[in-house]
């Protein structure tokens, strides 16, 4: 009976949400502070909680060549505390941190000499750095942010960094919103990047574990690097190994002071709140924070591709296949057509590629399509398949090509287009079920599409896509000279 009641309640919520989605424009309250920070609020009294998301419009795409991996490493570092949190005595800790940085910069400079580096000097500086880091550890209070939040009912405390931005999130009891504002405004102004070089080593290990020894991740990294020659979308968010080892706290502090500030920040608060009181609270805590430097648009433009690009990764792993086609960014007219193509090809078990590759021909164990590696700038439409033995990536490639060619020739049926709209409505409603899901979408689309209203406009514009649009876009973009192919070849046994 409990299961039945849950399903009934769930369906009733879904049925009520399209109306909520349709009225979302009236429900979202916007407020912009004088320092440029954007605040988005939705009042929902379904539970005495608030989802609090802070999105910074700065990600790995905004790094210079000598900063690759910095946004990701800073995500780690901003959990380390401030001048008042995460330390037993900042006045005593500060001179130790300065000595650590002085020594680390000297070590980095000596190592940069390569074969001409003084080995004895490198060893002495490395030894000195280790000693200073041990001294600095005496002042550190581990995970104090997380401990304070947990003691006060916070859940889901996390962060994530991608190509386009960095997000910090938590769910809080609504009566603890002022605590959140105090902590996060302090972090925005007074973060101390303690344990920097220890954490840099942690990121190096993360890279080895998640990329260098993981064939699927390595394939994606190589695939993206081949697809983008000039644009920074081609660089890995975590950075290449040599990038990580040359990051310094000095670089990180400048990046933080410039960009992790109100002019690049979007806050979404969704839940049990009073908008007027919330605006006053946010103004009180975040209003005095200096605006920082707005992130400049990336000036690099990817040159026109003049031929197919292919990359192979040889690994002791099952074969995998990727094919990507360059396409416009989010919000462009053709991008809405790609959303339709995405759902036709690989959204669910009734999609064309799933039926053909997984069910009928049994060439693959799974197949998917998506846009990546970011959204703020022109990107890729990617189809991915994991092949099923004894079939090969060549067979998967041929089957995918056949379906892409079919899109150029056969008009999509009205029934398929209607199914897409139905799925979109369901998915949009599902995402609005949770405060966190709505807060995520508000910050995401405000950041990458330029307005959270993309949430409202998206399905309306998808509904205007015609079968002729699909044929036109397929013919324009699904060409040999516009595609990049990547695949894993199983390592031969000796």
């Amino acid at each position: 009976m409990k299961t039945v009641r849950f399903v009934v309640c769930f369906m009733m919520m879904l049925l009520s949400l399209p109306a909520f989605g349709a009225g979302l424009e009236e429900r979202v309250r916007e407020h912009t502070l004088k320092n440029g920070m954007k605040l988005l609020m939705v009042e929902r009294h379904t539970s005495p909680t608030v989802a609090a998301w802070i999105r910074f419009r700065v990600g790995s795409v905004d790094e210079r060549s000598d900063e690759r991996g910095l946004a990701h490493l800073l995500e780690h570092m901003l959990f380390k505390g401030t001048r008042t949190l995460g330390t037993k005595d900042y006045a005593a800790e500060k001179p130790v941190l300065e000595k650590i940085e002085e020594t680390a910069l000297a070590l980095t400079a000596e190592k940069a000499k390569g074969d001409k580096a003084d080995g004895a000097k490198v060893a002495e500086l490395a030894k000195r750095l280790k000693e200073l880091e041990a001294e600095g550890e005496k002042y550190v209070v581990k995970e104090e942010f997380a401990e304070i939040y947990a003691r006060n009912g916070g859940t889901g405390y996390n962060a994530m960094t991608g190509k386009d931005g960095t997000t910090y999130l938590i769910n809080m009891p609504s009566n603890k919103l002022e605590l959140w504002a105090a902590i996060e405004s302090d972090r925005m102004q007074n973060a101390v990047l303690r344990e920097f070089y220890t954490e840099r080593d942690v990121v190096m290990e993360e890279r080895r574990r998640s990329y260098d020894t993981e064939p699927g991740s390595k394939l994606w990294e190589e695939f993206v690097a081949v697809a983008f020659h000039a644009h920074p979308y081609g660089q890995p968010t975590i950075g290449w190994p040599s990038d990580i080892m040359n990051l310094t706290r000095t670089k990180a502090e400048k990046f933080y002071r410039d960009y992790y500030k109100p002019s690049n920040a979007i806050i979404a608060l969704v839940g049990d709140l009073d908008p007027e009181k919330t605006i006053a609270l946010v103004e009180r805590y975040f209003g005095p924070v200096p605006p920082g430097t707005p992130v400049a648009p990336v000036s690099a433009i990817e040159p026109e591709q003049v031929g197919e690009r292919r990359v192979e990764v040889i690994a002791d792993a099952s074969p995998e296949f990727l094919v990507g086609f360059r396409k416009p960014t989010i919000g462009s007219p053709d991008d809405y057509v790609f959303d339709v193509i995405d759902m036709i090809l690989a959204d669910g078990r009734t999609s064309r590629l799933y039926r053909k590759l997984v069910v009928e021909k049994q060439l693959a164990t799974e197949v998917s399509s998506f846009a990546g590696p970011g959204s703020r700038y022109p990107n890729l439409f990617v189809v991915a398949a994991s092949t099923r033995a004894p079939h090969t990536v060549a067979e998967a490639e041929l089957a995918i090509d056949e379906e892409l060619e079919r899109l150029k020739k056969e008009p999509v049926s009205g029934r398929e287009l209607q199914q897409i709209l139905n799925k979109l409505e369901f998915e949009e409603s599902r995402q609005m079920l949770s405060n966190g899901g709505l807060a995520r979408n508000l910050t995401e689309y405000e950041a990458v599409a330029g307005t959270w209203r993309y949430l409202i406009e998206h399905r309306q514009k998808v509904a205007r896509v015609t079968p002729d649009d699909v044929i036109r876009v397929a013919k324009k973009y699904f060409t040999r000279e516009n595609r990049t192919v990547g695949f894993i070849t199983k390592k031969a046994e000796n």
Side-chain angles (χ1 to χ4, degrees), residues 48-279:
T49 61
V50 174
W53 287 55
I54 302 179
R55 167 79 177 229
F56 293 98
R57 295 186 188 91
V58 56
S60 63
V61 75
D62 302 298
E63 299 163 348
R64 299 192 312 259
S65 61
D66 64 336
E67 298 171 336
R68 286 190 292 250
L70 197 50
H72 173 259
L73 181 52
L74 259 176
E75 177 206 311
H76 287 236
M77 294 311 305
L78 292 184
F79 284 93
K80 297 293 183 179
T82 65
R83 296 171 190 171
T84 53
L85 296 175
T87 183
K88 297 173 184 174
D89 183 350
Y90 181 64
E93 180 189 28
K94 187 173 184 291
V96 179
L97 292 175
E98 290 170 353
K99 290 177 185 176
I100 288 173
E101 186 62 5
E102 180 183 348
T103 305
L105 290 175
L107 177 59
T108 300
E110 191 63 33
K111 284 183 174 181
K113 296 176 182 178
D115 293 340
K116 296 181 180 179
D118 184 332
K121 187 174 182 181
V122 167
E124 176 59 31
L125 286 169
K127 179 173 179 285
R128 176 63 176 154
L129 180 60
K130 191 171 183 178
E131 291 170 348
L132 287 167
E133 287 177 323
E135 185 179 349
E137 284 290 323
K138 297 175 185 177
Y139 300 101
V140 174
V141 179
K142 301 282 188 181
E143 304 290 344
E144 190 164 17
F145 281 152
E147 288 292 333
I148 292 172
Y149 276 139
R151 286 199 306 268
N152 287 276
T155 60
Y157 181 46
N158 209 343
M160 48 195 161
T161 302
K163 302 290 186 186
D164 294 330
T166 304
T167 301
Y168 292 84
L169 59 130
I170 191 166
N171 296 309
M172 292 290 292
S174 51
N175 63 357
K176 298 295 183 179
L177 195 57
E178 185 168 4
L179 173 68
W180 165 85
I183 289 175
E184 297 305 327
S185 60
D186 184 34
R187 172 154 53 181
M188 200 177 284
Q189 297 177 85
N190 303 309
V192 174
L193 309 186
R194 51 179 61 91
E195 300 181 296
F196 183 88
Y197 296 98
T198 304
E199 198 65 30
R200 192 181 69 175
D201 291 341
V202 170
V203 171
M204 274 297 292
E205 179 57 33
E206 178 187 349
R207 187 191 157 84
R208 283 190 288 267
R209 184 180 66 252
S210 301
Y211 290 84
D212 298 335
T213 62
E214 178 56 46
S217 298
K218 175 55 69 176
L219 173 64
W220 175 250
E221 186 174 70
E222 295 290 333
F223 174 80
V224 170
V226 167
F228 294 94
H229 288 177
H231 198 276
Y233 269 167
Q235 65 194 34
T237 298
I238 198 170
W240 300 106
S242 60
D243 295 329
I244 298 169
M245 291 313 296
N246 281 289
L247 294 177
T248 64
R249 198 176 84 226
T250 298
K251 289 180 184 178
E253 285 175 340
K254 184 178 187 310
F255 203 72
Y256 159 76
R257 287 195 306 269
D258 286 348
Y259 300 134
Y260 290 73
K261 293 294 181 284
S263 62
N264 297 311
I266 302 158
I267 292 179
L269 300 175
V270 179
D272 183 29
L273 55 83
D274 179 307
E276 294 301 330
K277 291 180 179 178
T278 302
I279 289 172

Side-chain angles (χ1 to χ4, degrees), residues 168-461:
Y168 292 84
L169 59 130
I170 191 166
N171 296 309
M172 292 290 292
S174 51
N175 63 357
K176 298 295 183 179
L177 195 57
E178 185 168 4
L179 173 68
W180 165 85
I183 289 175
E184 297 305 327
S185 60
D186 184 34
R187 172 154 53 181
M188 200 177 284
Q189 297 177 85
N190 303 309
V192 174
L193 309 186
R194 51 179 61 91
E195 300 181 296
F196 183 88
Y197 296 98
T198 304
E199 198 65 30
R200 192 181 69 175
D201 291 341
V202 170
V203 171
M204 274 297 292
E205 179 57 33
E206 178 187 349
R207 187 191 157 84
R208 283 190 288 267
R209 184 180 66 252
S210 301
Y211 290 84
D212 298 335
T213 62
E214 178 56 46
S217 298
K218 175 55 69 176
L219 173 64
W220 175 250
E221 186 174 70
E222 295 290 333
F223 174 80
V224 170
V226 167
F228 294 94
H229 288 177
H231 198 276
Y233 269 167
Q235 65 194 34
T237 298
I238 198 170
W240 300 106
S242 60
D243 295 329
I244 298 169
M245 291 313 296
N246 281 289
L247 294 177
T248 64
R249 198 176 84 226
T250 298
K251 289 180 184 178
E253 285 175 340
K254 184 178 187 310
F255 203 72
Y256 159 76
R257 287 195 306 269
D258 286 348
Y259 300 134
Y260 290 73
K261 293 294 181 284
S263 62
N264 297 311
I266 302 158
I267 292 179
L269 300 175
V270 179
D272 183 29
L273 55 83
D274 179 307
E276 294 301 330
K277 291 180 179 178
T278 302
I279 289 172
L281 178 71
V282 170
E283 282 280 7
R284 185 162 72 252
Y285 282 95
F286 292 93
V289 183
T293 304
V295 175
V298 172
S299 60
I301 298 174
E302 190 67 25
E304 183 179 354
Q305 191 168 326
V306 295
E308 182 184 76
R309 301 172 184 172
R310 298 181 79 89
V311 60
E312 177 186 37
V313 171
I314 298 174
D316 187 16
S318 299
E320 294 185 24
F321 174 80
L322 296 171
V323 59
F325 300 87
R326 286 165 57 173
K327 73 170 191 64
T329 188
I330 188 171
S332 302
D334 285 354
D335 188 57
Y336 295 103
V337 184
F338 271 106
D339 288 342
V340 171
I341 291 172
D342 173 41
M343 298 187 75
I344 291 169
L345 289 178
D347 185 38
R349 294 175 176 267
T350 61
S351 64
R352 293 183 179 186
L353 287 176
Y354 189 90
R355 288 202 313 266
K356 185 169 186 177
L357 272 72
V358 179
V359 178
E360 295 173 14
K361 295 192 173 185
Q362 298 188 2
L363 296 175
T365 56
E366 57 181 316
V367 62
S368 62
S369 63
F370 54 91
S375 298
R376 275 166 57 194
Y377 300 99
N379 49 36
L380 301 174
F381 175 76
V382 181
V383 178
S386 299
T387 61
R388 184 195 299 272
H391 297 288
T392 65
V393 292
E395 292 176 90
E397 180 175 5
L398 179 60
I400 290 169
D401 284 347
E402 288 173 354
E403 287 300 322
L404 297 180
E405 287 299 312
R406 182 182 166 196
L407 286 172
K408 299 177 184 180
K409 300 170 184 175
E410 299 178 15
V412 177
S413 69
R415 182 171 177 272
E416 281 181 298
L417 290 177
Q418 187 57 52
Q419 286 176 334
I420 287 168
L421 292 176
N422 294 342
K423 285 181 179 179
L424 279 176
E425 184 172 346
F426 179 86
E427 181 60 24
E428 289 167 2
S429 298
R430 186 188 64 80
Q431 290 177 356
M432 290 181 187
L433 279 172
S434 72
N435 291 342
L438 182 53
R440 177 227 177 257
N441 285 341
L442 290 171
T443 54
E444 172 75 9
Y445 293 120
E446 183 70 26
V448 302
T451 174
W452 62 267
R453 289 176 177 80
Y454 180 88
L455 276 169
I456 300 168
E457 299 165 357
H458 179 257
R459 195 163 65 88
Q460 298 169 357
K461 293 190 177 181

